[in-house]
Amino acid sequence: AKKVRNGKETDPYQRIMVGLSISDVLLSFFWFFLGTWMVPKETGWLWAVGNTSSCSAQGFFALFGGFGELLYQAAISLNILLLIVFGWKQERFSKKVEKPMHFIIIAFVLVLAIIPLAYETYNPGCGQCNITPLWGKCSTNDEGKLCIVRGNEQVQLVIGLIAFALILIVLIFCTVAMVWV
């Protein structure tokens, strides 16, 4: 169950931490470090030099990293809970839980990040690119009337509800696991 890398053994906890760290780097780099640089320059935001593609990339990787962090935090809590409370060994966790857990986390987060990409719903909003429809004039004849020119409100709503539910579930799970341990 232990993997050997460069002569050193690793255990599931270390591999979960790698997943958490990668997710954190993605979120931190694309959301916080790049910030408004990825936003299309037409928006007028300070330091905005991006375009629609860079905006979509920022939204994709920030969402991938954000949800990945959340789910890997739950994975760490699950690992510790099974080890301490239920007396599992790391080898048992590795054989029964770890591979499906990594697959489920990566697949789930990838699907969540691809859906807004497919519906062109990563758009500039409040200085960064996130899941929001882009509003504009419906046509040259309609003064003052705005329509969605890029994106999808339903995608924004569904991803928002999933995010809220996931945050709540992970918060409750991690809290219960921490109290139980």
Side-chain angles (χ1 to χ4, degrees), residues 86-120:
F86 295 100
W88 283 37
K89 301 290 183 209
Q90 286 288 25
E91 292 79 21
R92 183 176 179 196
F93 183 86
S94 180
K95 287 179 184 173
K96 295 189 180 252
V97 177
E98 187 184 10
K99 285 182 184 176
M101 178 195 65
H102 286 293
F103 177 78
I104 289 168
I105 290 172
I106 292 168
F108 181 70
V109 170
L110 192 59
V111 167
L112 281 180
I114 287 174
I115 290 171
L117 194 61
Y119 286 94
E120 298 181 332

Side-chain angles (χ1 to χ4, degrees), residues 68 130 166:
N130 50 42
L166 206 54

Side-chain angles (χ1 to χ4, degrees), residues 115-116 119-123 130-136 146-162:
I115 290 171
Y119 286 94
E120 298 181 332
T121 309
Y122 290 122
N123 292 301
N130 50 42
I131 301 172
T132 184
L134 186 63
W135 294 84
L146 295 176
C147 295
I148 295 175
V149 294
R150 187 173 190 274
N152 187 309
E153 281 186 309
Q154 286 76 25
V155 170
Q156 179 188 25
L157 176 66
V158 170
I159 299 291
L161 290 173
I162 290 170

Side-chain angles (χ1 to χ4, degrees), residues 16-174:
I16 293 169
M17 286 302 295
V18 167
L20 178 65
S21 298
I22 290 169
S23 298
D24 185 47
V25 167
L26 285 174
L27 177 65
S28 297
F29 181 73
F30 281 95
W31 190 257
F32 298 109
F33 178 73
L34 293 179
T36 58
W37 292 344
M38 305 281 281
V39 175
K41 58 184 168 190
E42 300 83 36
T43 61
W45 281 97
L46 182 64
W47 299 322
V49 293
N51 55 35
T52 303
S53 297
S54 66
C55 190
S56 293
Q58 181 184 38
F60 176 86
F61 287 111
L63 187 131
F64 188 91
F67 278 119
E69 279 185 346
L70 190 64
L71 293 173
Y72 274 112
Q73 184 61 52
I76 288 172
S77 293
L78 177 65
N79 180 255
I80 298 302
L81 181 71
L82 291 175
L83 291 175
I84 295 173
V85 175
F86 295 100
W88 283 37
K89 301 290 183 209
Q90 286 288 25
E91 292 79 21
R92 183 176 179 196
F93 183 86
S94 180
K95 287 179 184 173
K96 295 189 180 252
V97 177
E98 187 184 10
K99 285 182 184 176
M101 178 195 65
H102 286 293
F103 177 78
I104 289 168
I105 290 172
I106 292 168
F108 181 70
V109 170
L110 192 59
V111 167
L112 281 180
I114 287 174
I115 290 171
L117 194 61
Y119 286 94
E120 298 181 332
T121 309
Y122 290 122
N123 292 301
C126 202
Q128 288 165 319
C129 300
N130 50 42
I131 301 172
T132 184
L134 186 63
W135 294 84
K137 288 185 179 180
C138 296
S139 69
T140 54
N141 299 339
D142 299 324
E143 289 189 27
K145 188 174 180 186
L146 295 176
C147 295
I148 295 175
V149 294
R150 187 173 190 274
N152 187 309
E153 281 186 309
Q154 286 76 25
V155 170
Q156 179 188 25
L157 176 66
V158 170
I159 299 291
L161 290 173
I162 290 170
F164 178 77
L166 206 54
I167 290 168
L168 193 61
I169 290 166
V170 169
L171 178 68
I172 292 168
F173 175 75
C174 290

Side-chain angles (χ1 to χ4, degrees), residues 5-21:
R5 182 174 167 91
N6 296 332
K8 296 181 181 180
E9 293 181 352
T10 63
D11 62 28
Y13 180 82
Q14 292 170 324
R15 293 187 291 271
I16 293 169
M17 286 302 295
V18 167
L20 178 65
S21 298

